[in-house]
Amino acid sequence: MKLFAGTANKPLASAVAEKLGISSFPIDIFTFPDGERRLRIEEPVAGKEAIVVQPTSPPVDSNYFELYFTIDALKRKGAALITAVVPYLGYQRQDHLFREGEARSLAVVVALLEKAGADRIITCELHSVKIEELFSVPFAHISALSLFAKKIQTLGTEDATLVSPDMGGIRRIRILSEILDNMPYATIVKNRDLATGHVSSESIEGSVKSTAYIVDDMIGTGGTIAAAVSLLKRKGAVKIYVFSTHPVFSGEATSILSNKDIERVFVTDTILVPNEKKFATLDILSVADLIAEAIKKSQSAS
Ligand code: R5P
């Protein structure tokens, strides 16, 4: 088995390789002045299983194309089986059509992954369970909820509620509640204007306690978290913690998250957070172990 690190998150690729006791190989990429890339795999892979680790986080299209080209290069070099580890699967917010006339972007990028030659896909914390239906190759899904549960146990579950910042996260919050011995949970009713992206959170189903643990799959602009924090404060929450698997951190997200009303923000390393986007109350938990375990499991199944 040989593991290749895409450019989107080399530290995670190295950490996964270390957990597997193997090396992480780089991909040789030359960028032409017009931005096109020529990509080459130098390491011999003929007859071997090849794994490529590449989250398709921003710049999403660029990271997707690098992944497609890497898979194609591995296939042409004779890899026997190609596993694409895509810890953050870009375009998953467009997994279905919200309005007539839209593109189903996620279906397109997933079809291209398979067309390029991915034989297996491992991904993390998908936005919706329905996304699984888009894959025709073997597919494994890992979740950071077990990492979040451990952290919440150390922070304390007394007089505390788990909070989903929108109805879409209710399945996730129920799973976490079960892991935490049926810890109480509440769900915010969120509205997002599809034209402007503006988020408003007016009401909450379930009771608010002194401590609130907001749990979401991803933080983009931070608008969802900001609206949730403001509503929870109005409803009497004293300490608010944020847990989110994917730190997409676009726009003003980091200044919104370093807000004094948020005790700490826990994310994972599915996406590499550059130093300039780190802030004092940010904690990054690693999914490397979970990915390594998923790789081992997929090997024993094949
Ligand atoms: C939406 O349904 C997702 O679960 C996230 O809540 C959302 O994508 C976060 O985006 P933003 O941070 O831009 O509000």
Side-chain angles (χ1 to χ4, degrees), residues 163-166 186-191 199-204 208 212-216 222-237 239-242 256-257 259 261-262:
V163 179
S164 172
D166 53 36
T187 311
I188 289 175
V189 181
K190 170 180 108 174
N191 291 308
V199 171
S200 61
S201 298
E202 301 305 332
S203 61
I204 184 159
V208 175
Y213 297 113
I214 302 175
V215 182
D216 207 354
T224 298
I225 297 298
V229 168
S230 144
L231 179 66
L232 287 166
K233 276 282 167 192
R234 291 201 302 277
K235 298 280 181 192
K239 285 187 166 184
I240 300 175
Y241 295 86
V242 172
I256 289 175
L257 295 168
N259 177 324
D261 287 336
I262 304 175

Side-chain angles (χ1 to χ4, degrees), residues 93 127 166 190 192 199 216-224:
R93 280 176 291 200
H127 185 58
D166 53 36
K190 170 180 108 174
R192 187 189 288 276
V199 171
D216 207 354
D217 56 339
M218 67 176 87
I219 299 175
T221 60
T224 298

Side-chain angles (χ1 to χ4, degrees), residues 56-164:
T56 47
S57 46
V60 182
D61 297 346
S62 173
N63 285 334
Y64 260 116
F65 271 89
E66 183 187 307
L67 180 57
Y68 299 144
F69 297 154
T70 304
I71 293 168
D72 184 68
L74 289 167
K75 193 168 71 175
R76 290 176 194 281
K77 213 167 154 83
L81 193 114
I82 301 168
T83 300
V85 177
V86 195
Y88 171 74
L89 189 73
Y91 282 113
Q92 58 181 292
R93 280 176 291 200
Q94 193 66 17
D95 60 338
H96 65 276
L97 306 191
F98 294 87
R99 292 170 297 185
E100 187 271 324
E102 289 179 344
R104 196 178 181 195
S105 320
L106 187 64
V108 177
V109 293
V110 166
L112 288 174
L113 271 181
E114 296 187 2
K115 183 77 185 161
D119 298 301
R120 265 194 321 225
I121 293 169
I122 297 176
T123 187
C124 185
E125 214 76 76
L126 289 175
H127 185 58
S128 120
V129 278
K130 283 197 164 277
I131 293 176
E132 294 199 25
E133 295 165 9
L134 293 176
F135 294 90
S136 50
V137 297
F139 158 89
H141 177 244
I142 59 174
S143 167
L145 292 180
S146 57
L147 302 179
F148 293 168
K150 276 189 202 137
K151 198 47 86 175
I152 289 169
Q153 259 155 350
T154 64
L155 292 167
T157 53
E158 280 300 305
D159 199 16
T161 329
L162 303 171
V163 179
S164 172

